[in-house]
Amino acid sequence: SSGINAEYGQNRIPAMKIACRKGPMCQLINLMHELFPGQFAFLPQSWAIPSQYAAFCHYVFTEKDTPKDQFFILKPDEGSQGDGIYLFRNPMDLTQGTMSRNSVVQRYIGDPLLIDGFKFDFRLYVLISRLDPLEAYLCHEGLARFCTQPYERPSSKNYHKTLMHLTNYSLNKLSDDFVRSESDNQGSKRTFSSVMALLQKAGHDVGRLWDTIKDVVFKTLICIAPLTKVEQLNSDKVGSSGVQHFQLLGYDILLDSHLNPYLLEINGYPSMRTDYEIIDELTGTTTNVSSPVDVKVKKEALKGALHILFKGHPDDSYCQIVGPDLDEETKRYVIFEDCRNLYTMFLKRSSLRKGSMLGSSGFRAFVRACRVVDILESVTNADLDLLYINICHQSDSSARCLTFLSFYRLILTLAVRAQPDVSLYEALRGFLDKCFENVAKGNGR
């Protein structure tokens, strides 16, 4: 085509900010990890605080396989640029301020891969060109961001040393030890490709590493897309005629000493600045200086993204991660999508006038249309009403209604009751199939 595709008109997916928050993202990935043990282990073990504080304490004080020297890292749910992040060892060390706001606690990766003795992470760029159906692409180039103090395993003597343990550029750029370089493969900020070349030279299988990183990106998108679609119902911008939303995300990935990639977080609004500020200590004046590494990486990321949006296919700078064709194994992972379809089917019947939460009337419509009492046989409508109330109380929402995540927990509970002797996935798959079958029979009458 000669110009940008007329479908595209908004470079932000309205609800993506919610799905990229640390709390919801960790919950979604943990839920998939329950359904597919071993397949979603790329997220460090995580707990939502304060709602899962008791479970976190149980892990620390009761679980036999918890290492005695294990440190944890706390991240505010909506924090950015390293603000509010700190390491700790004992749950009792969490501050009162922390317990009063939503945060995520994760097992700290104590054996990161080091280069020249320094810890680092990757910032990679992912374009979601379409949300429904989901289409996404991963840029081949990215950033490697280094700490500015040599790494040591966390201990009571060094766990407070932010610039040793946190790779955030916004923190390390303020250090006197931050090294700016004109070269791609030197300094405190380098290109992703230069680090991969260094690893290959050291004898590591970077092809396998790249495939594993792509798998992390794919599975994360599969997790967050259904929630994003649900939350998008709250946006006044959605549904505009002829408008297609797209967004460029920043994936932060850490490698451990065995080259296993771990997802640290997803940034819904990654910085695309290509310069940095130098402040004259005598005059106080600020000068903006171009960063060659940022220019190279971000120019490629933006140029490649625009090529996809203009042409409908990637150039050499991107590879497709999610598309319309999924193999049979991969199709199992889209079970969240079926949960979303069932959830949104009854949103319009909810007593709530608007929003993305299921009220009591919508829940009762779900029970009737899916004939839940018939599926479970020994469960009464009163039992279901009580379960609804209990799940609502466990939800982050103060309203007596079901969020998408709490609805998922509810139907998983029902599925296990219906088939207690099979795997979680088989129970949920069977329950969903029965629900859709009963809805279809009801519509056919």
Side-chain angles (χ1 to χ4, degrees):
S1 60
S2 58
I4 194 166
N5 193 319
E7 288 183 332
Y8 292 103
Q10 191 66 249
N11 69 338
R12 287 285 185 268
I13 297 174
M16 185 57 69
K17 181 179 179 180
I18 296 174
C20 287
R21 281 169 39 198
K22 299 175 184 66
M25 183 196 72
C26 288
Q27 289 183 61
L28 288 164
I29 296 175
N30 286 337
L31 290 172
M32 287 292 273
H33 184 60
E34 291 178 6
L35 290 176
F36 305 98
Q39 298 301 309
F40 287 77
F42 52 81
L43 184 75
Q45 195 162 4
S46 307
W47 297 266
I49 301 297
S51 62
Q52 293 183 315
Y53 180 72
F56 172 54
C57 289
H58 181 272
Y59 171 80
V60 174
F61 298 126
T62 308
E63 294 288 340
K64 294 181 180 179
D65 59 349
T66 304
K68 297 300 181 183
D69 61 346
Q70 178 65 61
F71 273 80
F72 302 91
I73 185 167
L74 179 131
K75 304 175 182 179
D77 187 29
E78 298 187 66
S80 61
Q81 299 183 337
D83 183 42
I85 300 177
Y86 61 88
L87 271 64
F88 67 99
R89 176 181 286 175
N90 193 306
M92 304 306 172
D93 295 335
L94 292 177
T95 64
Q96 186 175 356
T98 295
M99 296 300 293
S100 64
R101 63 178 180 177
N102 291 331
S103 302
V104 167
V105 165
Q106 292 183 323
R107 180 177 61 84
Y108 181 75
I109 306 299
D111 61 335
L113 182 69
L114 305 179
I115 292 181
D116 300 330
F118 292 88
K119 179 180 176 181
F120 67 96
D121 75 354
F122 293 134
R123 162 60 60 85
L124 301 176
Y125 298 95
V126 175
L127 173 70
I128 299 181
S129 59
R130 184 184 299 272
L131 184 61
D132 196 6
L134 181 62
E135 291 182 8
Y137 302 82
L138 171 63
C139 186
H140 289 285
E141 189 58 282
L143 295 170
R145 306 172 304 180
F146 286 74
C147 288
T148 48
Q149 289 185 2
Y151 182 77
E152 299 173 4
R153 286 191 69 92
S155 67
S156 57
K157 296 181 179 180
N158 68 33
Y159 75 95
H160 60 283
K161 294 184 177 181
T162 302
L163 304 183
M164 174 187 292
H165 296 291
L166 303 187
T167 54
N168 304 70
Y169 168 71
S170 56
L171 299 176
N172 283 281
K173 71 177 182 180
L174 303 176
S175 170
D176 292 338
D177 296 319
F178 190 92
V179 178
R180 300 191 182 276
S181 174
E182 298 288 319
S183 173
D184 290 356
N185 58 4
Q186 295 179 349
S188 300
K189 184 188 281 189
R190 311 179 192 181
T191 62
F192 170 73
S193 58
S194 73
V195 172
M196 292 290 273
L198 188 65
L199 295 178
Q200 185 174 33
K201 187 176 180 179
H204 296 293
D205 187 347
V206 295
R208 179 180 176 277
L209 173 59
W210 178 243
D211 287 340
T212 310
I213 289 174
K214 290 194 294 182
D215 190 58
V216 169
V217 173
F218 165 75
K219 288 177 177 175
T220 309
L221 292 172
I222 290 295
C223 287
I224 68 174
L227 176 62
T228 306
K229 294 173 187 177
V230 168
E231 293 297 336
Q232 201 157 291
L233 298 173
N234 274 339
S235 174
D236 294 332
K237 299 177 181 179
V238 175
S240 303
S241 178
V243 173
Q244 180 65 44
H245 301 277
F246 61 94
Q247 189 157 342
L248 190 66
L249 306 177
Y251 268 65
D252 295 345
I253 290 179
L254 175 76
L255 303 181
D256 70 10
S257 58
H258 301 289
L259 261 69
N260 297 310
Y262 286 91
L263 177 67
L264 299 181
E265 66 176 284
I266 302 175
N267 192 319
Y269 308 104
S271 171
M272 301 309 288
R273 283 192 62 169
T274 58
D275 61 353
Y276 58 93
E277 296 177 347
I278 295 180
I279 302 177
D280 189 304
E281 294 183 359
L282 294 178
T283 64
T285 57
T286 300
T287 304
N288 291 335
V289 180
S290 178
S291 164
V293 171
D294 283 292
V295 169
K296 177 178 180 179
V297 171
K298 294 173 182 178
K299 180 180 179 181
E300 184 168 333
L302 289 173
K303 183 180 178 181
L306 288 173
H307 185 279
I308 294 169
L309 299 175
F310 269 84
K311 304 294 186 181
H313 59 84
D315 59 11
D316 292 340
S317 61
Y318 276 79
C319 60
Q320 188 165 20
I321 295 296
V322 186
D325 299 322
L326 300 176
D327 58 39
E328 289 304 315
E329 175 63 24
T330 304
K331 285 180 181 178
R332 300 172 74 239
Y333 297 145
V334 299
I335 194 167
F336 267 11
E337 202 55 47
D338 288 334
C339 295
R340 178 191 71 86
N341 289 334
L342 191 63
Y343 182 72
T344 55
M345 186 183 298
F346 297 99
L347 276 181
K348 61 183 179 182
R349 310 185 196 187
S350 177
S351 57
L352 301 178
R353 291 187 177 183
K354 64 178 182 178
S356 58
M357 292 185 287
L358 192 69
S360 57
S361 58
F363 171 72
R364 292 191 179 101
F366 153 72
V367 170
R368 289 192 302 271
C370 295
R371 297 165 61 182
V372 175
V373 174
D374 293 337
I375 296 176
L376 273 69
E377 296 181 355
S378 61
V379 173
T380 66
N381 285 318
D383 294 330
L384 294 173
D385 285 342
L386 184 60
L387 178 62
Y388 170 84
I389 293 171
N390 289 337
I391 295 289
C392 285
H393 283 319
Q394 295 171 18
S395 169
D396 292 335
S397 171
S398 58
R400 285 186 56 181
C401 53
L402 294 173
T403 64
F404 172 63
L405 285 174
S406 54
F407 176 77
Y408 169 81
R409 293 187 181 280
L410 185 145
I411 62 173
L412 185 61
T413 301
L414 296 176
V416 171
R417 289 187 185 181
Q419 292 182 281
D421 299 324
V422 300
S423 69
L424 281 180
Y425 171 79
E426 291 171 323
L428 182 58
R429 180 71 274 163
F431 184 80
L432 288 171
D433 290 344
K434 203 67 178 176
C435 285
F436 287 120
E437 179 185 329
N438 288 339
V439 168
K441 287 179 180 177
N443 292 337
R445 287 202 296 265

